[in-house]
Amino acid sequence: MEAVIFSIATFFSTFLGGLLAIKFKDKLHAIMCFTAGVLVGVFSFDIMPEIIEQVKEHNFDPTGVMVAFVVGYMIFHVLEKSILIHHAHEEHYANHTHPQVGILSAIALAGHSFMDGVGIGLGFQVGKSVGILVAIAVISHDFTDGMNTVTLMLINKNTPRRAKWFLLLDSLTPILGAASTLLFKMPPYFLVLYLGFFGGFLMYIGASDILPQAHSKHSSLKMIGLTVIGLLFVFLVSRFV
Ligand SMILES: [Zn+2]
């Protein structure tokens, strides 16, 4: 049940991120830098230590976990870049727009957000502290999920009204994902595979998606400092929960 309560917070962070993206397009880099630190921190200070502990306790083969990590790392990358490849080719054609590219991207993001919710739910199946830290990671980066949903819709010439409907969808899917995990209980080996998979997913979003996006226009020491603060924040939280 805790998983569903935490996932409700993701609803607000996604929605807020989307609304702010409509209002202040150019001032969101700072939040993204901080979030990147949070994501890398949750993997390093919480998920990875938990994997090591579980592997030792149950004598699991660590290779399977690392394969799951790589799959988690690549899955969103492949999805995202294949949509972007389409974008790149768009420039070769005469002026025409494809609102459905925006819709397709927004649906891919909603699928990703569903997995965010599943992540929170399975985190709580591993244990309370993993659940809480995964929830922190998801809540903070869902803010950028909301921003991305709106941005992808608008740059592909969808109306703001339609963008808001997809934002609503993207805000609701984590709750559905978290609720779905109340229906089953994962055996320990699958939970550790999930930890690897979700760890790869967070590392990709943090290190290869949000961080480069945050620095795409303005890089400064302040921005780098915010990422370090995000890392320290998670380090401290992980010592106490
Ligand atoms: Zn997400």
Side-chain angles (χ1 to χ4, degrees):
M1 215 48 222
E2 284 153 314
V4 177
I5 294 165
F6 274 99
S7 69
I8 291 171
T10 65
F11 174 86
F12 292 105
S13 80
T14 310
F15 208 75
L16 193 72
L19 292 185
L20 288 181
I22 297 175
K23 281 210 139 145
F24 315 95
K25 272 196 124 172
D26 289 322
K27 299 218 161 88
L28 300 162
H29 305 269
I31 296 165
M32 293 169 86
C33 283
F34 175 80
T35 303
V38 168
L39 296 181
V40 174
V42 166
F43 174 72
S44 312
F45 304 132
D46 187 59
I47 293 184
M48 196 63 206
E50 185 66 36
I51 289 174
I52 294 172
E53 217 163 279
Q54 298 265 339
V55 163
K56 268 201 289 190
E57 191 187 321
H58 300 275
N59 235 337
F60 291 142
D61 175 13
T63 311
V65 186
M66 291 322 284
V67 169
F69 175 87
V70 169
V71 172
Y73 193 93
M74 289 303 291
I75 198 163
F76 194 49
H77 173 73
V78 170
L79 235 123
E80 189 188 51
K81 296 302 176 216
S82 45
I83 290 170
L84 282 183
I85 289 167
H86 184 85
H87 269 306
H89 288 286
E90 288 292 277
E91 287 165 17
H92 299 299
Y93 301 107
N95 243 341
H96 73 293
T97 57
H98 264 324
Q100 53 284 28
V101 174
I103 292 173
L104 216 72
S105 315
I107 288 174
L109 262 172
H112 151 105
S113 296
F114 183 84
M115 276 172 35
D116 282 344
V118 171
I120 296 178
L122 293 183
F124 276 102
Q125 288 192 17
V126 176
K128 200 170 182 165
S129 69
V130 175
I132 291 174
L133 275 149
V134 168
I136 289 176
V138 170
I139 292 165
S140 56
H141 100 263
D142 271 7
F143 189 82
T144 59
D145 283 352
M147 277 167 43
N148 288 335
T149 303
V150 167
T151 314
L152 282 166
M153 290 294 285
L154 294 181
I155 57 171
N156 286 296
K157 308 277 187 276
N158 285 285
T159 58
R161 199 186 135 80
R162 198 189 262 173
K164 277 184 196 157
W165 277 111
F166 276 87
L167 177 61
L168 187 67
L169 175 75
D170 195 42
S171 308
L172 286 171
T173 40
I175 302 177
L176 298 178
S180 77
T181 64
L182 300 177
L183 305 174
F184 59 90
K185 190 129 186 62
M186 286 266 247
Y189 184 63
F190 287 99
L191 274 182
V192 91
L193 287 183
Y194 141 75
L195 282 176
F197 174 82
F198 204 68
F201 188 65
L202 292 185
M203 281 300 282
Y204 175 74
I205 299 169
S208 307
D209 188 47
I210 296 184
L211 203 53
Q213 252 191 78
H215 285 273
S216 64
K217 281 187 196 137
H218 344 260
S219 263
S220 67
L221 279 178
K222 202 175 102 193
M223 293 288 163
I224 300 167
L226 280 167
T227 304
V228 175
I229 291 172
L231 282 164
L232 287 175
F233 167 70
V234 173
F235 181 78
L236 289 175
V237 173
S238 67
R239 299 306 95 180
F240 293 111
V241 296

